[in-house]
Amino acid sequence: MKALIFNGALERRQESTSGKLSHYFSDQLNQKGVESTIFNLADSGIPLFDLSLNRVPNAVKIMNNLFLEADIHFWLSPLYHGSIPGVMKNCLDWLEVSAKNKPAYLTDKHIGLVCWADGVHALQGINAMDAIAKSLRAWTLPFSVPIMKSALFESDNPNVLSSAYQCKLDLMIDIATKKSSESR
């Protein structure tokens, strides 16, 4: 089983929220024997979406292969002004180059959704990702994790995820890996 961790933030630092979450998912999946790849949007070189180009950019080909080869996905996003970052949506729009594949887009992929916000509105980002995933013919997990950033880390150690959020993320991983193995 292969998992893709899609880091939709534009943060490059390992100690950033998105870096810590990406590595938490990777570590937990590896402990379950699941091969995982972290796709960092900030390092991907994905250009602005433009289907009028004569050639599909190499970065887009690489991204599409990673997204299509993975059995399960975990999409991680900060909430920016009420939704996911525009560059994350732009990246997902490039899945349009897989429209003529059999099956098209992300048909029947299972996707876990995680969004964090400074306030309590992270569910808006989850809703945006849910609509995108479903339009790409994927199945979103029946459990998502909206995060209030002020409660994400232990108060005495800002490098450690709080036990409450570890439990939620572990539950998501358990659901995703179980659903994916059942559908094989």
Side-chain angles (χ1 to χ4, degrees), residues 75-93:
W75 292 0
L76 316 177
S77 175
L79 185 74
Y80 289 163
H81 308 288
S83 190
I84 63 172
V87 294
M88 184 178 186
K89 174 66 166 72
N90 177 74
C91 181
L92 292 166
D93 286 343

Side-chain angles (χ1 to χ4, degrees), residues 64 67-70 73 92-111 132-139:
N64 265 263
F67 277 64
L68 298 174
E69 288 175 357
H73 292 204
L92 292 166
D93 286 343
W94 274 109
L95 286 166
E96 186 61 30
V97 302
S98 69
K100 294 182 179 164
N101 290 4
K102 299 286 186 229
Y105 306 114
L106 299 178
T107 299
D108 293 332
K109 302 287 184 187
H110 293 121
I111 302 177
I132 294 165
K134 288 176 179 169
S135 72
L136 291 168
R137 304 179 186 172
W139 295 96

Side-chain angles (χ1 to χ4, degrees), residues 2 10 14 57 68 101 144 147 153 172 178:
K2 291 184 179 181
L10 285 179
Q14 294 287 331
L68 298 174
N101 290 4
S144 58
I147 296 171
F153 300 103
M172 174 180 279
K178 183 175 188 232

Side-chain angles (χ1 to χ4, degrees), residues 5-179:
I5 302 158
F6 178 27
N7 175 1
L10 285 179
E11 301 170 309
R12 286 188 169 89
R13 298 172 296 116
Q14 294 287 331
E15 67 277 359
S16 67
T17 299
S18 62
K20 290 176 185 176
L21 287 169
S22 295
H23 289 289
Y24 183 83
F25 270 94
S26 181
D27 291 345
Q28 296 305 109
L29 289 162
N30 289 339
Q31 287 179 22
K32 289 182 165 292
V34 176
E35 178 185 336
S36 66
T37 300
I38 298 173
F39 181 80
N40 284 312
L41 183 56
D43 299 325
S44 68
I46 299 294
L48 290 175
F49 181 61
D50 182 357
L51 283 181
S52 69
L53 297 175
N54 292 331
R55 287 183 22 247
V56 175
N58 194 46
V60 172
K61 289 179 186 176
I62 292 167
M63 180 272 297
N64 265 263
N65 286 338
L66 288 172
F67 277 64
L68 298 174
E69 288 175 357
D71 301 299
I72 54 177
H73 292 204
F74 297 95
W75 292 0
L76 316 177
S77 175
L79 185 74
Y80 289 163
H81 308 288
S83 190
I84 63 172
V87 294
M88 184 178 186
K89 174 66 166 72
N90 177 74
C91 181
L92 292 166
D93 286 343
W94 274 109
L95 286 166
E96 186 61 30
V97 302
S98 69
K100 294 182 179 164
N101 290 4
K102 299 286 186 229
Y105 306 114
L106 299 178
T107 299
D108 293 332
K109 302 287 184 187
H110 293 121
I111 302 177
L113 306 173
V114 178
C115 185
W116 59 94
D118 287 330
V120 294
H121 300 288
L123 193 56
Q124 289 177 229
I126 302 270
N127 290 337
M129 290 187 286
D130 182 67
I132 294 165
K134 288 176 179 169
S135 72
L136 291 168
R137 304 179 186 172
W139 295 96
T140 55
L141 298 181
F143 181 77
S144 58
V145 183
I147 296 171
M148 186 169 60
K149 195 172 168 187
S150 63
L152 179 57
F153 300 103
E154 293 291 340
S155 57
D156 59 339
N157 188 346
N159 292 316
V160 176
L161 296 177
S162 69
S163 59
Y165 278 113
Q166 283 185 37
C167 287
K168 291 176 184 184
L169 298 173
D170 291 348
L171 177 58
M172 174 180 279
I173 291 166
D174 288 345
I175 291 169
T177 54
K178 183 175 188 232
K179 284 197 169 296

